[in-house]
Amino acid sequence: KAWRPGPCLKSSNIPILEFTSETSINNVVQDPQTGRIYLGAVNTIFQLGPSLHLEARAETGPKEDARTCTPPASLLLVHPSNGSLIVCGSRYRGICSLLNLTNVEQQLYYSDSKGERTYVASIEDNVNVVGVMSTYSKDGHTFSVFLVGKGYGGLDSTKLISTRILQDFREWVVFESIIEASTVQTTPFVPKYLHDFRHAFKEDGFVYFLFSRTLDGTDNKNLTFVSRLCEDDQHYYSHTELQLNCGPNNRYNKVQAAYVASPGKELARVMTESGTYGKVVPWSKVLFMVASPDEDDNDSALCMYPLNAINERLVDIISACYSDSGKISGYPAVDIPYSSKTDEFCTSRIDTLENFKCGADFLPSPLASKPKFALKANSVLTKSGLLTAVAVAVENDHTIAFLGNNQGEVFKITKVPVQTCLQKKDCQSCVELKDPYCGWCVLEGRCTRRSECRRAEEKNGWLWSPRQHCVKIFSFHPPNLSCKKTQKVMINIPSLPAIGPSDRLQCTFQAFQSEGTMTDSGQVSCNLPPPSLIPQTPEDQDFVAVPVKISVNETVELATRDFKFYNCAATVKRSENTPCMSCVASQWGCQWNTHDHTCSDMDETVKGPRIIKQRQCPQFENPDPVLIPVGYKTPISFEGINLDLYRGRVFTIGTELMRNVEEEVRFDGGPFYTFSGFNFSYDKSPETNVLFYMKDKESGKKMDSTLNVTLYNCSMGREDCSLCKNADPKYRCVWCAKQKACVYEKLCTTQQTEDPYNIECPDPQITDIIPRFGPMRGGISITIRGSNLGIHKEDIKSITVVGEPCIHQEEKYSVSTSVVCEIGSIDPMRGHWGQVEVEVKGGKRGTSSMYFTYRDPIPEAVTPARGPKAGGTLITISGRFLDTGSKDDLATAELCPCLCRERFETNITCRTGEYGADKVPSDRLNVVVKYGKSTTAEIRSAFQFLENPIILDHHPKGSFVCGGRNIVVTGSGFDLIQTAIMRVHGDNSTAFEKAREKNDTVIQFQSPTVNNSLNQHFRTFIHLDNWKKELKPFDYHPDPIFNELTKKVITEASIIIVTGRGFSKAMTAKEAQAFVGDVSCQVNTLQDDKLFLDPPSTPPRARSRRHRRDTRPELLDLMIKFGKGEWVVGSVQYENKNDSSLYIIIPAVIVPMLLIIAISVYCYRRKSQQAEREYEKVKHQLENLEESVRDRCKKEFTDLMIEMEDHTNELSEGRIPFLDYKTYTDRVFFLPSKDGANDVMITGKLDIPEARRATVTQALNQFSNLLNSKTFLINFIRTLERSHDFNARAKVYFASLLTVALHGKLEYYTDIMRTLLLELMEEYVHSKNPKLMLRRSETVVERMLCNWMSICLYQFLKDSAGEPLYKLFRAIKHQIEKGPVDARVKKAKYTLNDTGLLGDDVEYSVLTLQVLVHGEGPDVTPVKVLNCDTISQVKEKIIEQVYRNLPYSLRPKTDSMMWRPGSTGQILSDLDLTSQKEGRWRRINTLAHYNVRDNATLVLSRVLHPQQNYDQNQENHEERNALLEDDKVFHLVRPADELDEIKSKRGSIKDKSMTKAITEIYLTRLLSVKGTLQQFVDDFFRSVLCSGAVVPPAVKYFFDFLDEQALKHNNVDEETIHIWKTNSLPLRFWVNILKNPHFIFDVHVSEVVDASLSVIAQTFMDACTKSEHKLSRDSPSNKLLYAKEISTYKKMVDDYYKGIRQMVSVSDQDMNTHLAEVSRSHTDKLNTQVALHQLYQYASKYYDGIIASLDEDPAAQSKQLTLRLQQIAAALENKVTDL
């Protein structure tokens, strides 16, 4: 049986029960005992009654957590045994709670303090969770548990399946995972298998999970699996996965939803009969699954898998592994998923599988099928769109599937929407539904469900829709009756239900009613109406059909059928020439009375010879001859039969053609009679039928006659001798030379000697030649028309044209009248014109009087000369003599097939076909016109095929089905097109509209009106000549629905509000129109459910004004017009508030005063009306303001995500431009130094003479050894820090040099750092405020710590935090560059920093440039820019796009590139002589200044000498210098100059406050940008502050060190430790990296990007502080911006610190191993020698102090450190020493 989709539910008129949630619903579950429904929505659980009314609601969020947004209910399960609802959300990584089933507002259990073991769901939205209730036994106790299947999110446990307990038991707590199954889990930290769980269910002792996953990390194609576990398997040994394939070649490979149900009797039968499912019984279970392809979300299918088939295949897989080395039929069938083992695993040999059907610890597990042994199913239904839900019900043994898609639509897989039974008012339409839910309730006369029909259980009481039967009247007895009689009729109704004693039957015959009774035989007996109540017999028939309606209980109609009342007298009308036969042969059984010539009802009582009952009527027949010529009196003889009663009577004969003349016939004895004949005339056609009638002369009544003859006319259609001779001999036609006509032989009076049959025909005559012109080379056919051109084609002996033979085309010959021949070529030296001659049999010749001319056509021009490659261009070929030959001879070649349309003497029009060659534009092609077989005429280089037009975009993207919406299609190449059509194809209908307007880049259409009654799927195409392109996306939406207008009175001040739904799906306020009466009113705002209309500007009147005498205000139609759709939404009354009649006559004295008052009142009213209107308008606009900001963020975020998709792809390909370790450390350590990038540590260049290099190198190595002495180094550092001139900058630089110098021994470096930190801690704890420690880099050790963190976290940055940071940086850069950026004042429209916000609304548009890089191949790169960008900004964007695969440092710089439009034209630059001046200010050139258009091509080329760039552009150096001297330059916003300042000083305070207010309006942009970037900020914060993922060992090690030290000091509280940790990691490292992404990535950070990064960095700092931020209205915008999120972030920081504290500690040994690895990997790349040299400069500068310090230290003395330093100094400073 075919599954047939029905239309969506929403198309039904039946009120649908619905419940609306404010937030999206993720989960629905029903309690089967009570019917209650529980919805899991974002932040809320709803409890609904069975009819969807709200009983209770529980708020589950938002609550503070490690995320900004919480918690959609990921899992809902009904736990009926203790009356609770299990709810698992995303808070705290998926914690659960128990709610009361009868009132969800009552929480039965919740705990967030039990830690990771109780986390069930996932905090990641895209990780699906499914669950199923079960039981678990341990030590004689049985517990309720639930099994959970869950994909792997970044912070989740790696377990895919877990069993959760629902009570505390011994060491277990509620929701704890109680089975430690190590095998069924994915690989940690690697998103390898990507499980997506969709369904879980229990059946027959097994638990099943349905999910999709990839096979492993190598291939990302999803496959659908069902896995099975024994319910009592406490170790998951039995976990086996079976691949399910859906559709051909597993097209639908990713499961979306599923449902398990019994199939019902009919479906089970069909599945069994199909042979693909095995034996399926109605009570077994089937898995119904909807799935979609990975790559196409617009296609879905429904597949079915009997559970028996799944279990059988699983047993095959398990037994293959346990008994057959993992093979089925010799092929490997078994896999072990989630395991890296490659050796053989199916090595067991078990004979009794029954004992191990749930696996065992010594058997391999988990198991999975190989793809070859997947269970395959055909798709039983496919549907466009993404199906996301399925449910199945069985009704009356038939199965109904309900499918839901991601648009919120529900489909029922039968023919109609759910519950449309009641709409059908009669049995036929009810059964036509073929809906298994519906049937016809016979005795109630309703279409209902079976359960709603009271007598459904009685036989035939309820007729089920799919059986297609109704109660029908099968027959009547008698079957018919004469209209002159009446009697009872028995009505046979086999399918009539039992009629009880209380049921009253009634028969209705139009106006007559009678009571019906049931007979013993089960028939209904009724009285027929009396003859007086039977309707008249219609004119053209011999009966009248009267409908008989059988009803029960007066109101319910059971069945109806026509009963026929016949009228014998009317049978005669059917054939007046045979009245008796018509009577006795009729189906009614009538009898004929020959005496009075009447037909009457059969009457057995009337007998006698005059009454004829059988077919023995008196009649005349068999005329002879049957062919009668016109103009000649031919006698006809015939027979008469059954004439006994008419002996001796005289009969007359007549017919219409005898013109009312009737003649007597002669009796010839026996049955024979003769009619002497009649001279007939007839010339309408060659022959006609003549029917003679016979009358009894005495009575004048017609007798039955079948005397039929054929009358013929020889001259009709035989105009010449040849045609006459070609006539059929039976007609005996001859050519009569005397009359020059074809006549009947006896009418031709010739001389006796001539035999008219042997007469010779005259010579042929030629009357016309078509065509009259032919080409010189012949090869075309000409048609010669005339007369006597032979009788047979063989009669034509020869044809000549202008003396040349012409070949006879015998197959085209027409007798006598036309000959066709093909002309040959003619000698150009001969005459070109002459006569045509035809010779026929007998040597007769005919010569034409008209002449035929040979001449060659001369085509001269083709217009248009260009057309698209796809063809379809209508071209006109003009020239001379083009009408040579006929249309059939004409063809064009070399332009693809050309269809000749029309032909004139000077023009030929034809349409081009498709151009097949690849080269476009083509060469200029020759147009060749072919005449016949031999002649071609050519126009050289006449036509060129160009590229087909390009459609780039269309807007808007949808229309209502009423059509008429203005659709603008943009692109290029439209000027080539002659006809543009928009065509819409439905499933079985098409509609089209021609273009309204067109130019080269824009075509405007009105969307066609389509018929949506069948809920079709529409596809929209644009046809441009022959070229066709589908418009995607373009959606047709159902027409909107308008509610009746509530406000009936409007005034000139009121706003009109129209409500309804579906307005905004395909309409905007600008396009919509509204009319009150005949006046239009503006549509101010259009929302999906509301329209706000301004009142009419002038008093309206009715469109068709009725003349009325009363003065009541008339009712006006309020009409809304969307495109071609018009809706009258109500009638309104228009009241003019100014109508105030003054009826009082005012004394003349006070008239002027009253006049003044009236004017004032009028002005006041006018003003107040305006204010009232403005107020109402503003009120409605304010209602929508917050919504619009949210929508804008959402839209911007979506746009940004789409734009960043490319970058995400780049990231996935490992294209994040991380700096190598050396560059990273150089930038972190030395870029902030005073020399920046030129610092010697970055350049690595030391200025040492060649001669001294060896000495210096040796000395530096000795100095390195000295630094490796802890005693020396501590003394060295202390000496420097005691010196007054060793400032903060020097300390930072010194610490960085030290880090590089000691990089080879980082363990030692760490030891020094610890020692110095302990000293610092003592100092702060005892003498200073401990909270200030590590706040700033006031000591060498603080900077050492910063560098140490930078070194240790490099790898973490590359592996984890780098990607979200890079995405954040790219997102900010993208968002900023989407809007204008002022190149001069460095302010942007889109930013997070209020000081960097562009305070003006700059008009701009987005352009796409096609950029060609000179010297880098022909490829053009599209680049999006703004027309307000400066030339330098555009260069940056171009370089960014063209070289996007290169890191920033390898890209060319903007000043090394110059560019110009196209291949020529000027070079574009920021300033030149064309720059605009405004007063003393000069505006930097933008694209708009140069008038660069969208899709312009620009060439970018490298400049060898950047400084010459200007000179090339300027011819006059003096002008250039003058230009540069004037340095008052601005870009978008001109700074207020002196004049403005003077003005502003004079300006009022009010003006200034207005300016301030207007600037602050733009602050909403900060909100919008913040909302857009929020996800990226959150992702970065999460990656940095998440202890659940990877925490670098250095962080754990150092935080533990701080905790240890804090314990040793009494005055160090938790807050102080928090501050120390904050100062050491977030503030010292993360803020630095966040503000300077170029420290870790090879990127350029512009000032505007830097400003936004600073705001995020400040937020990060604020999140790490313990102090509360008291915010007020005067707080900086940057602080207010993230005020709401700060508390969430603070919680993240606290959780992060707590999480690290709970981690397993990192030992000194582990830390040292890690550090040693870093040293080994990177030291040789660093400039260690340079660092030592620079460090020595400090030793040299503070030499005396160091020597003194060492001399005082006994440990230093014992190691002779002073001496070693002196030796190094001597060598390095080239001194001669006395040592």
Side-chain angles (χ1 to χ4, degrees), residues 1184-1198:
N1184 299 315
L1185 182 62
E1186 187 181 353
E1187 191 61 38
S1188 72
V1189 169
R1190 189 179 302 147
D1191 286 349
R1192 192 166 72 194
C1193 289
K1194 207 169 180 180
K1195 181 185 174 303
E1196 294 275 348
F1197 177 68
T1198 310

Side-chain angles (χ1 to χ4, degrees), residues 418-431:
V418 184
Q419 294 299 303
T420 48
C421 309
L422 290 173
Q423 283 181 331
K424 304 303 174 189
K425 300 301 179 200
D426 61 82
C427 179
Q428 201 51 45
S429 59
C430 181
V431 299

Side-chain angles (χ1 to χ4, degrees), residues 46-308:
F46 296 102
Q47 174 186 323
L48 312 179
S51 60
L52 302 194
H53 61 279
L54 182 64
E55 292 184 348
R57 63 184 282 165
E59 301 299 332
T60 60
K63 297 179 183 167
E64 286 186 15
D65 188 5
R67 268 172 70 106
T68 52
C69 175
T70 51
S74 308
L75 182 62
L76 285 185
L77 285 175
V78 171
H79 178 18
S81 57
N82 74 346
S84 63
L85 178 71
I86 302 167
V87 180
C88 302
S90 60
R91 293 190 64 237
Y92 300 114
R93 290 161 50 197
I95 216 153
C96 298
S97 58
L98 295 177
L99 308 182
N100 189 338
L101 272 180
T102 52
N103 179 8
V104 292
E105 290 166 17
Q106 182 188 354
Q107 194 173 69
L108 302 178
Y109 175 85
Y110 174 77
S111 169
D112 57 12
S113 60
K114 299 292 195 297
E116 191 157 340
R117 57 190 176 158
T118 62
Y119 298 162
V120 174
S122 173
I123 68 166
E124 297 201 13
D125 295 341
N126 58 351
V127 173
N128 278 322
V129 184
V130 297
V132 61
M133 296 298 301
S134 181
T135 55
Y136 182 90
S137 301
K138 178 169 177 155
D139 304 341
H141 297 271
T142 299
F143 312 105
S144 288
V145 294
F146 62 105
L147 275 79
V148 176
K150 175 186 67 64
Y152 174 57
L155 303 174
D156 297 348
S157 138
T158 57
K159 286 180 183 170
L160 296 169
I161 291 175
S162 58
T163 301
R164 306 288 179 155
I165 192 165
L166 284 162
Q167 65 187 74
D168 290 343
F169 178 71
R170 298 181 189 159
E171 73 280 6
W172 290 340
V173 296
V174 178
F175 298 134
E176 181 169 352
S177 172
I178 58 173
I179 291 183
E180 280 304 322
S182 61
T183 49
V184 189
Q185 57 181 12
T186 185
T187 320
F189 313 125
V190 183
K192 192 171 177 184
Y193 293 97
L194 305 172
H195 283 71
D196 190 1
F197 280 86
R198 292 292 173 165
H199 192 51
F201 61 96
K202 220 169 55 167
E203 187 65 35
D204 210 12
F206 292 107
V207 175
Y208 297 82
F209 291 97
L210 186 66
F211 55 87
S212 62
R213 67 166 169 88
T214 56
L215 281 177
D216 53 39
T218 58
D219 179 9
N220 59 2
K221 182 180 166 76
N222 282 291
L223 296 169
T224 298
F225 284 89
V226 61
S227 72
R228 187 185 79 170
L229 278 171
C230 292
E231 200 175 355
D232 54 4
D233 174 5
Q234 302 199 351
H235 305 280
Y236 302 164
Y237 294 144
S238 58
H239 181 93
T240 309
E241 299 182 0
L242 171 63
Q243 185 179 327
L244 300 180
N245 287 5
C246 177
N249 301 323
N250 196 19
R251 169 163 172 74
Y252 304 97
N253 56 303
K254 188 174 194 311
V255 58
Q256 296 295 342
Y259 194 86
V260 177
S262 296
K265 198 167 168 183
E266 284 299 309
L267 182 61
R269 180 180 61 74
V270 171
M271 288 174 79
T272 304
E273 285 169 5
S274 75
T276 54
Y277 298 99
K279 182 163 172 53
V280 182
V281 290
W283 54 87
S284 63
K285 290 287 170 61
V286 172
L287 172 67
F288 296 86
M289 176 180 103
V290 288
S292 66
D294 261 346
E295 67 282 350
D296 183 6
D297 271 357
N298 209 22
D299 188 11
S300 304
L302 172 69
C303 283
M304 305 185 296
Y305 305 90
L307 227 49
N308 286 351

Side-chain angles (χ1 to χ4, degrees), residues 1379-1382 1385-1391 1393-1402 1532-1533 1559 1562 1565:
V1381 176
D1382 193 304
V1385 296
K1386 311 294 183 195
K1387 291 188 174 187
K1389 176 180 180 179
Y1390 296 122
T1391 179
N1393 197 320
D1394 60 342
T1395 55
L1397 184 64
L1398 199 57
D1400 289 50
D1401 243 340
V1402 177
L1532 298 173
V1533 183
T1559 312
Y1562 297 118
R1565 280 201 207 130

